[in-house]
Amino acid sequence: MKLTTALSASLFAVTAAMIPRAAMADVSPLDLVGPIADYKIYVSENLEVLVTDTKAFTDAVKAGDLEKAKSLFGSTRMSYEAIEPIAELFSDLDGSIDSRADDHEKAEKDPEFTGFHRIEYGLFAENSTKDLAPFADKLMADVTELNKRITDLTLPPEKVVGGAAALMEEVAATKISGEEDRYSHTDLWDFKANFDGSRKIFELVRPLVEKDDSAFVIKVSGNFDKVDKTLAKYKTEQGYELYDKLTDDDRAVLAAAVNTLAEDLSTLRGKLGLN
């Protein structure tokens, strides 16, 4: 995809002065400029897809097309979940776009509960599009605002690299239970996007680590491959199996792979001198 002139200009604004000095002798601050600029492009591309997909999703919700809205829910979220490693950098919008009912005092009935999961609750738990139009409009507005914001958003390398590990830890600690997409059970769509987003970060900084610790790089790459192979077992023509169809043994295998990845990636920041 072509970036806007403003975004292109902002990439050149990523300078060594914005990057902490790395501790490893062979990794300089300038070495991190390229990977972070490339990651910003990756985020921008995903946000462009998110805007397009969210428009189709929210249009279906507002049109009262229950089945279409349900069918679009899992796939629409993927481009958002792919950039979740840096969600901390837009925490206000993340709260309105992706919070769970548990984050709010009155749970599903709380007026502050908005975004994907509020709409998910209506579509899948209440089996209706009734009264969802305002939530659809707000979601579309929030996604559009996030897409605009990325142009001027600074991406600190320690947040980007640390975010990949933090996301895998979150998947292992909470998401693997199925708590996020609890009404639709489209968790495997989220997992795939989370893994792809974290792997993108790993691949961008891989050359900087590989020259000093090739064994670590081979191990992490192999573990990402293992997760991909595990998820591929549940691939369908529509996307993925619903998460509640997986057995306890299936979930245990997936959890083990995710935990291994989380442990590996937790050391990545240190290897780049970003702690």
Side-chain angles (χ1 to χ4, degrees), residues 158-205:
E158 69 275 13
K159 296 293 186 181
V160 173
V161 176
L167 179 56
M168 290 301 96
E169 290 166 1
E170 181 187 356
V171 172
T174 62
K175 291 190 176 189
I176 207 74
S177 69
E179 59 87 28
E180 180 160 13
D181 299 316
R182 66 192 67 174
Y183 318 111
S184 64
H185 307 298
T186 54
D187 303 82
L188 292 179
W189 278 261
D190 283 12
F191 293 171
K192 173 60 175 169
N194 289 162
F195 297 137
D196 285 351
S198 292
R199 187 167 199 167
K200 180 65 176 181
I201 294 169
F202 168 72
E203 292 295 342
L204 286 173
V205 300

Coordinates of all heavy atoms in Angstrom, one line a residue, residues 158-205:
E158 N 11.8 0.3 22.7 CA 11.6 -0.6 23.9 C 10.1 -1.0 24.0 O 9.8 -2.1 24.5 CB 12.2 0.1 25.1 CG 11.4 1.3 25.6 CD 11.8 2.6 25.0 OE1 12.5 2.5 23.9 OE2 11.4 3.6 25.5
K159 N 9.2 -0.1 23.6 CA 7.8 -0.4 23.7 C 7.4 -1.4 22.6 O 6.6 -2.3 22.8 CB 7.0 0.9 23.6 CG 7.2 1.9 24.7 CD 6.7 1.4 26.0 CE 6.7 2.5 27.1 NZ 6.2 2.0 28.4
V160 N 8.0 -1.2 21.4 CA 7.6 -2.1 20.3 C 8.1 -3.5 20.6 O 7.4 -4.5 20.6 CB 8.3 -1.6 19.0 CG1 8.1 -2.6 17.9 CG2 7.7 -0.3 18.6
V161 N 9.4 -3.7 21.0 CA 10.0 -5.0 21.2 C 9.4 -5.6 22.5 O 9.1 -6.8 22.5 CB 11.5 -4.9 21.3 CG1 12.2 -6.2 21.7 CG2 12.1 -4.4 20.0
G162 N 9.3 -4.8 23.5 CA 8.7 -5.3 24.8 C 7.2 -5.7 24.6 O 6.7 -6.6 25.2
G163 N 6.5 -5.0 23.7 CA 5.1 -5.3 23.4 C 4.9 -6.6 22.9 O 3.9 -7.3 23.1
A164 N 5.8 -7.1 22.1 CA 5.7 -8.5 21.5 C 5.7 -9.5 22.6 O 4.8 -10.5 22.5 CB 6.8 -8.7 20.5
A165 N 6.6 -9.4 23.5 CA 6.6 -10.3 24.6 C 5.4 -10.2 25.5 O 4.8 -11.2 25.9 CB 7.9 -10.1 25.4
A166 N 5.0 -8.9 25.8 CA 3.9 -8.7 26.7 C 2.6 -9.3 26.2 O 1.8 -9.8 26.9 CB 3.7 -7.2 27.0
L167 N 2.5 -9.2 24.8 CA 1.3 -9.7 24.2 C 1.2 -11.2 24.3 O 0.2 -11.8 24.6 CB 1.2 -9.3 22.8 CG 0.0 -9.8 22.0 CD1 -1.3 -9.4 22.6 CD2 0.0 -9.3 20.5
M168 N 2.4 -11.9 24.1 CA 2.4 -13.4 24.2 C 2.1 -13.8 25.7 O 1.4 -14.8 25.9 CB 3.7 -13.9 23.8 CG 4.0 -13.8 22.3 SD 2.8 -14.7 21.3 CE 1.6 -13.4 20.8
E169 N 2.6 -13.0 26.6 CA 2.3 -13.3 28.0 C 0.8 -13.1 28.3 O 0.2 -13.9 29.1 CB 3.1 -12.4 28.9 CG 4.6 -12.7 28.9 CD 5.5 -11.6 29.5 OE1 4.9 -10.6 30.0 OE2 6.7 -11.7 29.5
E170 N 0.2 -12.1 27.7 CA -1.2 -11.9 27.9 C -2.0 -13.1 27.3 O -3.0 -13.6 27.9 CB -1.7 -10.6 27.3 CG -3.2 -10.3 27.5 CD -3.7 -9.1 26.8 OE1 -2.9 -8.4 26.1 OE2 -4.9 -8.9 26.8
V171 N -1.6 -13.5 26.1 CA -2.3 -14.6 25.5 C -2.2 -15.9 26.4 O -3.2 -16.5 26.6 CB -1.7 -14.9 24.1 CG1 -2.3 -16.2 23.5 CG2 -2.0 -13.8 23.1
A172 N -1.0 -16.1 26.9 CA -0.8 -17.3 27.7 C -1.6 -17.2 29.1 O -2.1 -18.2 29.6 CB 0.7 -17.5 28.0
A173 N -1.6 -16.0 29.7 CA -2.2 -15.8 31.0 C -3.7 -15.8 31.0 O -4.3 -16.3 31.9 CB -1.6 -14.6 31.6
T174 N -4.3 -15.1 30.0 CA -5.7 -14.9 30.0 C -6.4 -15.3 28.7 O -7.5 -15.9 28.8 CB -6.0 -13.4 30.3 OG1 -5.5 -12.6 29.3 CG2 -5.4 -13.0 31.6
K175 N -5.9 -14.9 27.6 CA -6.6 -15.2 26.3 C -6.8 -16.6 26.0 O -7.8 -17.0 25.4 CB -5.9 -14.5 25.2 CG -6.0 -13.0 25.2 CD -5.5 -12.4 23.9 CE -5.6 -10.9 23.8 NZ -5.3 -10.3 22.5
I176 N -5.9 -17.5 26.4 CA -5.9 -18.9 26.1 C -7.2 -19.5 26.7 O -7.6 -20.6 26.3 CB -4.7 -19.6 26.6 CG1 -4.4 -20.8 25.7 CG2 -4.7 -19.9 28.0 CD1 -3.9 -20.6 24.3
S177 N -7.7 -18.9 27.8 CA -8.9 -19.5 28.4 C -10.2 -19.2 27.6 O -11.2 -19.8 27.9 CB -9.1 -18.8 29.8 OG -9.4 -17.4 29.7
G178 N -10.1 -18.3 26.6 CA -11.3 -18.0 25.8 C -12.1 -16.8 26.4 O -13.2 -16.6 26.0
E179 N -11.5 -16.1 27.3 CA -12.2 -15.0 28.0 C -12.4 -13.8 27.1 O -13.4 -13.0 27.3 CB -11.5 -14.6 29.2 CG -10.1 -14.1 29.1 CD -10.0 -12.6 28.8 OE1 -10.9 -11.8 29.2 OE2 -9.0 -12.2 28.1
E180 N -11.6 -13.6 26.0 CA -11.7 -12.3 25.3 C -12.9 -12.4 24.4 O -13.8 -11.5 24.4 CB -10.5 -12.0 24.4 CG -10.7 -10.7 23.6 CD -9.4 -10.1 23.2 OE1 -8.3 -10.7 23.3 OE2 -9.4 -8.9 22.8
D181 N -13.0 -13.4 23.5 CA -14.2 -13.5 22.6 C -15.2 -14.5 23.1 O -15.6 -15.4 22.5 CB -13.7 -13.9 21.2 CG -12.7 -12.9 20.6 OD1 -13.0 -11.7 20.7 OD2 -11.7 -13.3 20.0
R182 N -15.6 -14.2 24.3 CA -16.4 -15.1 25.1 C -17.8 -15.4 24.5 O -18.5 -16.4 24.8 CB -16.5 -14.7 26.5 CG -17.3 -13.4 26.7 CD -17.2 -12.8 28.1 NE -15.8 -12.4 28.4 CZ -15.4 -11.7 29.5 NH1 -16.3 -11.4 30.4 NH2 -14.2 -11.3 29.6
Y183 N -18.3 -14.4 23.7 CA -19.7 -14.6 23.2 C -19.6 -15.2 21.8 O -20.5 -16.0 21.4 CB -20.3 -13.2 23.1 CG -20.1 -12.3 24.3 CD1 -19.4 -11.1 24.2 CD2 -20.7 -12.6 25.5 CE1 -19.1 -10.3 25.3 CE2 -20.5 -11.8 26.6 CZ -19.7 -10.6 26.5 OH -19.5 -9.8 27.6
S184 N -18.6 -14.9 21.0 CA -18.5 -15.3 19.6 C -17.6 -16.6 19.5 O -17.8 -17.3 18.5 CB -18.0 -14.2 18.7 OG -16.6 -13.9 19.1
H185 N -16.7 -16.7 20.4 CA -15.7 -17.8 20.4 C -14.8 -17.8 19.1 O -14.4 -18.8 18.6 CB -16.4 -19.2 20.4 CG -17.3 -19.3 21.6 ND1 -16.9 -19.2 22.9 CD2 -18.7 -19.5 21.7 CE1 -17.9 -19.3 23.8 NE2 -19.0 -19.5 23.0
T186 N -14.5 -16.6 18.7 CA -13.7 -16.4 17.5 C -12.2 -16.1 17.9 O -11.4 -15.5 17.2 CB -14.1 -15.2 16.6 OG1 -14.2 -14.0 17.5 CG2 -15.5 -15.5 16.0
D187 N -11.8 -16.7 19.1 CA -10.5 -16.5 19.6 C -9.3 -16.8 18.7 O -8.3 -16.2 18.7 CB -10.4 -17.2 20.9 CG -11.4 -16.9 21.9 OD1 -12.5 -17.5 21.8 OD2 -11.2 -16.1 22.8
L188 N -9.5 -17.9 17.9 CA -8.4 -18.3 17.1 C -8.0 -17.3 16.0 O -6.9 -17.2 15.6 CB -8.7 -19.7 16.4 CG -8.8 -20.8 17.4 CD1 -9.1 -22.1 16.6 CD2 -7.5 -21.0 18.2
W189 N -9.0 -16.5 15.6 CA -8.7 -15.4 14.6 C -7.8 -14.4 15.4 O -6.8 -13.9 14.8 CB -10.0 -14.6 14.2 CG -10.8 -15.2 13.1 CD1 -10.9 -14.8 11.8 CD2 -11.8 -16.3 13.3 NE1 -11.8 -15.6 11.1 CE2 -12.4 -16.5 12.0 CE3 -12.3 -17.1 14.3 CZ2 -13.4 -17.4 11.7 CZ3 -13.2 -18.0 14.1 CH2 -13.8 -18.2 12.8
D190 N -8.1 -14.1 16.6 CA -7.3 -13.1 17.4 C -5.9 -13.7 17.6 O -4.9 -13.0 17.5 CB -7.9 -12.9 18.8 CG -9.1 -12.0 18.7 OD1 -9.6 -11.7 17.6 OD2 -9.6 -11.5 19.8
F191 N -5.8 -15.0 18.0 CA -4.5 -15.6 18.2 C -3.6 -15.5 17.0 O -2.4 -15.1 17.1 CB -4.7 -17.1 18.6 CG -5.3 -17.3 20.0 CD1 -5.7 -18.6 20.3 CD2 -5.6 -16.3 20.8 CE1 -6.3 -18.8 21.6 CE2 -6.2 -16.5 22.1 CZ -6.6 -17.8 22.4
K192 N -4.2 -15.9 15.9 CA -3.4 -15.8 14.6 C -2.8 -14.4 14.4 O -1.7 -14.2 14.1 CB -4.2 -16.3 13.4 CG -3.6 -16.1 12.1 CD -2.3 -16.9 11.9 CE -1.8 -16.8 10.5 NZ -0.4 -17.4 10.4
A193 N -3.7 -13.4 14.6 CA -3.2 -12.0 14.4 C -2.2 -11.6 15.4 O -1.2 -10.9 15.1 CB -4.4 -11.1 14.4
N194 N -2.4 -12.0 16.7 CA -1.5 -11.7 17.7 C -0.1 -12.3 17.4 O 0.9 -11.6 17.6 CB -1.9 -12.2 19.1 CG -3.1 -11.5 19.7 OD1 -3.8 -12.0 20.5 ND2 -3.4 -10.3 19.2
F195 N -0.1 -13.5 17.0 CA 1.2 -14.2 16.7 C 1.9 -13.6 15.5 O 3.1 -13.3 15.5 CB 1.0 -15.7 16.4 CG 0.4 -16.5 17.6 CD1 -0.6 -17.4 17.4 CD2 0.9 -16.2 18.9 CE1 -1.1 -18.1 18.5 CE2 0.5 -16.9 20.0 CZ -0.6 -17.8 19.8
D196 N 1.1 -13.2 14.4 CA 1.6 -12.6 13.3 C 2.2 -11.2 13.6 O 3.3 -10.9 13.1 CB 0.6 -12.4 12.2 CG 0.2 -13.7 11.5 OD1 0.9 -14.7 11.7 OD2 -0.8 -13.8 10.7
G197 N 1.5 -10.5 14.5 CA 2.0 -9.2 14.8 C 3.3 -9.2 15.7 O 4.2 -8.4 15.4
S198 N 3.4 -10.2 16.6 CA 4.6 -10.3 17.4 C 5.7 -10.9 16.5 O 6.9 -10.5 16.7 CB 4.3 -11.3 18.5 OG 3.4 -10.7 19.4
R199 N 5.4 -11.8 15.6 CA 6.4 -12.3 14.7 C 7.0 -11.2 13.8 O 8.2 -11.2 13.5 CB 5.9 -13.5 13.9 CG 7.0 -14.2 13.1 CD 6.6 -15.5 12.5 NE 7.7 -16.3 12.2 CZ 7.7 -17.6 11.9 NH1 6.5 -18.2 11.9 NH2 8.8 -18.3 11.6
K200 N 6.2 -10.3 13.4 CA 6.7 -9.2 12.5 C 7.8 -8.4 13.2 O 8.8 -8.1 12.7 CB 5.5 -8.3 12.1 CG 5.9 -7.1 11.3 CD 6.4 -7.6 9.9 CE 6.7 -6.4 9.0 NZ 7.2 -6.9 7.6
I201 N 7.5 -8.1 14.5 CA 8.5 -7.4 15.3 C 9.8 -8.2 15.4 O 10.9 -7.7 15.2 CB 8.0 -7.1 16.7 CG1 6.8 -6.1 16.6 CG2 9.1 -6.5 17.6 CD1 6.0 -5.9 17.8
F202 N 9.6 -9.5 15.7 CA 10.8 -10.4 15.8 C 11.6 -10.4 14.5 O 12.8 -10.3 14.6 CB 10.4 -11.8 16.2 CG 11.5 -12.8 16.1 CD1 12.5 -12.8 17.0 CD2 11.4 -13.8 15.1 CE1 13.5 -13.8 16.9 CE2 12.4 -14.7 15.0 CZ 13.5 -14.7 15.9
E203 N 10.9 -10.6 13.4 CA 11.6 -10.7 12.1 C 12.3 -9.4 11.8 O 13.4 -9.4 11.2 CB 10.6 -11.0 11.0 CG 10.1 -12.4 11.1 CD 11.1 -13.5 11.0 OE1 12.2 -13.3 10.4 OE2 10.8 -14.7 11.4
L204 N 11.8 -8.2 12.2 CA 12.4 -7.0 11.9 C 13.7 -6.7 12.6 O 14.7 -6.1 12.1 CB 11.5 -5.8 12.1 CG 10.3 -5.6 11.1 CD1 9.3 -4.6 11.6 CD2 10.9 -5.3 9.7
V205 N 13.8 -7.2 13.9 CA 15.0 -7.0 14.7 C 15.9 -8.3 14.6 O 17.0 -8.3 15.1 CB 14.7 -6.7 16.1 CG1 13.9 -5.4 16.2 CG2 13.9 -7.8 16.8

